[in-house]
Amino acid sequence: MLVEGKIALVTGAAQGIGRAIALCLAGEGADVIISDVNEEKAREVAAEVESLGRRSLSVIVDVTDDEEIGKAVTKSLDKFNRIDILVNNAGITKDAILVRMKRSQWDDVISTNLTGVFNWMKACAKPMMKEKSGRIVNISSIIGLVGNTGQANYAASKAGILGLTKSAAKELAPWHINVNAVAPGFIATQMTEKLPEEIKKKMLSNIPLCRWGEPEEVARVVLFLVSEMSSYITGQVISVDGGMVM
Ligand code: NDP
């Protein structure tokens, strides 16, 4: 049990990578707060956490709403007293080539993927500083490292997460709070399912391990980063991409 007795909060945990992270942490002994905008699916994942013998709570909050995040943190602290682990996973895509990208597509992706991470880190840093310990993992993307045609908004948001992660790692280190990022490649979830077959084929030809990643393969790296196994690692970015970026 790598995170026994820890209290974890995962955003975007109702499905895909976030769900896999929540269940992986619960399987290793953590109580998990499930945060998402999808109430029904979030409650289902919370029930799955409980079926693993752990406590859970679902908090239905949009990551762009800092007031509601404040209330969700208070609700979580009322139930669990601490938040030891924060995983910022919620994210969206709204693709278009730069010259056709609407301002609303840019704003939506930046406010969900980047400002959302800022909102949750700001809200959870104080209770973590009080405990003089904590772990934060932010889910970026390899697109934030190398860019992608049709994803200027997404790439900018995911690159922004890396700067935010490194700055927070430096600021929070004196309180023994480690802050790291994970950069997945192409992982089989609903987000990638909707891509056109042609793009999927092209992507696959660029993956040295010759297959898509599974959400659980990202979850296990997050588990490492929130466990004592990684106690001397902070401000780092770990790619989980089958060798796409090397
Ligand atoms: P999914 O779309 O499958 O799941 C994302 C979850 O986040 C959904 O439950 C979604 O709810 C929720 N969500 C969306 N917007 C908000 C919001 N404003 N506030 C709270 N919750 C929200 O995505 P994945 O599991 O594939 O991706 C998870 C993370 O991993 C994302 O940050 C993504 O960018 C990143 N990533 C994914 C890769 C992949 O190949 N899948 C590759 C690299 C990075 P709803 O569906 O109801 O909107």
Side-chain angles (χ1 to χ4, degrees), residues 18-96:
R19 173 179 172 272
I21 293 168
L23 296 180
C24 179
L25 298 183
E28 287 291 330
D31 295 329
V32 189
I33 301 151
I34 307 298
S35 183
D36 205 284
V37 283
N38 188 321
E39 185 163 4
E40 199 185 326
K41 283 193 188 166
R43 290 197 196 288
E44 279 169 23
V45 178
E48 285 184 272
V49 167
E50 284 170 5
S51 72
L52 291 168
R54 308 309 314 174
R55 293 182 296 164
S56 191
L57 174 72
S58 50
V59 288
I60 308 309
V61 195
D62 188 318
V63 296
T64 63
D65 189 338
D66 54 352
E67 254 179 54
E68 285 302 311
I69 289 172
K71 288 183 201 161
V73 168
T74 305
K75 199 174 158 193
S76 303
L77 293 173
D78 284 348
K79 177 158 178 170
F80 297 108
N81 294 319
R82 312 181 315 271
I83 296 170
D84 301 307
I85 295 165
L86 168 66
V87 183
N88 283 304
N89 164 81
I92 58 168
T93 54
K94 289 203 174 173
D95 299 352

Side-chain angles (χ1 to χ4, degrees), residues 12 14-17 36-38 61-63 89-92 112 139-141 154 158 184-187 189-192:
Q15 67 180 39
I17 296 171
D36 205 284
V37 283
N38 188 321
V61 195
D62 188 318
V63 296
N89 164 81
I92 58 168
T112 301
I139 306 299
S140 175
S141 165
Y154 185 76
K158 294 299 187 178
F186 280 77
I187 310 297
T189 68
Q190 290 187 16
M191 183 181 268
T192 42

Side-chain angles (χ1 to χ4, degrees), residues 142 145 180-184 221 224-225 233 236-241:
I142 57 158
L145 298 170
N180 290 289
V182 172
V221 177
F224 166 70
L225 287 174
I233 298 178
Q236 302 305 307
V237 187
I238 302 185
S239 293
V240 184
D241 65 354

